Amino acid sequence: MRLRLGLGLGLAAALTSVLASALPPGAVAAPSGGDGGGGPLPARMADTGGGTQLITARAPHAGSTTGTVTWWDKRGGRWVRVGSAEARFGAKGLVEGERRRQGTSTTPTGLYALPYAFGNDRAPRGTSVRYRRVTRDSWWCQDNRSRAYNRWVEGLPADCRAAEAEHLVTYGRLYAHALVIGFNYDRPVRGRGAGIFLHVRGRGPTAGCVAVPERAMERILAWADPARRPHIAIGTATGPTALTRY
């Protein structure tokens, strides 16, 4: 019994060493048993968007305002963790995207595309996703009565009230770099919410966006490859809004 157990442990250690050495440069293997058990988190999700890059934004529970953003590559059929950072969520926590209401300071859970990036600063070196530089005339319309609802506009349209829009340049370092999260984007539903981004964090929770340190935002933009169809999955560790549901 003891001899066989010793051989088994030795073989497991050898296999772990071989697998670790085989990982691509810059990638980090998920811990044994995965991120919470059963393999890396993306491998346990119902859907990852069909691409080979994924960002996961996970909070401990629906009432959380903090959590972790991790970005992953799928290489050789295996998901590997490339990087991670502390994250902040909405001041009122997280809620199922289809049930979210505008103005509630909640972060919508779900799986979303990343249409393009933008920023008050120039795109970080290595950025290959489409990137829009903010100007003095750049706004994000959140007016439910506007035809430009949940859209970037250059110059505020007559039907979009300034009080119901974000003047992007005024957000300074928060929008130094950002990725548009495709929540309520393709076919916007009025009243569900607009202007949900992955952006640089401030001093506290967000109004519904996901926020990370500026250095992490730069790394994510340099990593994201549109040819690999990156998506973002937002959710909780367990419960009805668990990431593994998406």
Side-chain angles (χ1 to χ4, degrees):
M1 286 286 291
R2 291 180 181 174
L3 179 59
R4 289 176 182 175
L5 179 60
L7 287 172
L9 291 173
L11 179 58
L15 286 172
T16 300
S17 177
V18 169
L19 288 172
S21 64
L23 284 174
V28 181
S32 178
D35 187 4
L41 178 57
R44 294 183 283 115
M45 291 171 56
D47 187 8
T48 56
T52 57
Q53 286 189 329
L54 180 71
I55 300 170
T56 55
R58 188 170 72 164
H61 52 80
S64 301
T65 60
T66 60
T68 304
V69 160
T70 306
W71 47 108
W72 308 79
D73 277 344
K74 192 174 188 180
R75 302 175 183 176
R78 184 181 181 213
W79 286 103
V80 293
R81 189 175 67 231
V82 178
S84 64
E86 294 181 356
R88 288 182 175 146
F89 299 99
K92 299 296 183 180
L94 296 84
V95 68
E96 180 69 47
E98 292 184 356
R99 295 193 299 106
R100 186 182 187 271
R101 300 303 299 168
Q102 187 162 324
T104 55
S105 294
T106 53
T107 297
T109 65
L111 177 69
Y112 304 106
L114 298 163
Y116 61 91
F118 70 90
N120 282 309
D121 288 359
R122 293 180 179 179
R125 181 172 303 203
T127 300
S128 59
V129 296
R130 184 162 70 97
Y131 190 91
R132 298 189 70 169
R133 185 78 183 273
V134 172
T135 74
R136 284 280 171 189
D137 293 323
S138 301
W139 296 76
W140 195 277
C141 182
Q142 300 179 355
D143 193 328
N144 283 281
R145 299 182 299 185
S146 175
R147 289 173 295 177
Y149 179 68
N150 202 19
R151 286 294 184 271
W152 174 301
V153 290
E154 281 296 313
L156 204 59
D159 68 348
C160 186
R161 295 165 290 173
E164 298 294 327
E166 289 189 359
H167 194 192
L168 300 180
V169 72
T170 65
Y171 284 76
R173 301 313 300 168
L174 293 180
Y175 289 173
H177 304 296
L179 269 167
V180 176
I181 294 174
F183 165 73
N184 201 30
Y185 187 79
D186 289 338
R187 296 180 180 179
V189 176
R190 264 62 176 178
R192 184 167 287 173
I196 301 297
F197 311 129
L198 173 63
H199 65 75
V200 177
R201 73 181 185 185
R203 294 182 178 179
T206 73
C209 295
V210 181
V212 295
E214 186 166 354
R215 178 58 182 149
M217 195 67 234
E218 292 172 353
R219 290 173 61 198
I220 289 170
L221 286 180
W223 157 84
D225 180 354
R228 299 181 65 185
R229 299 171 58 196
H231 285 68
I232 185 168
I234 305 169
T236 54
T238 59
T241 52
L243 272 175
T244 49
R245 289 186 54 239
Y246 302 111

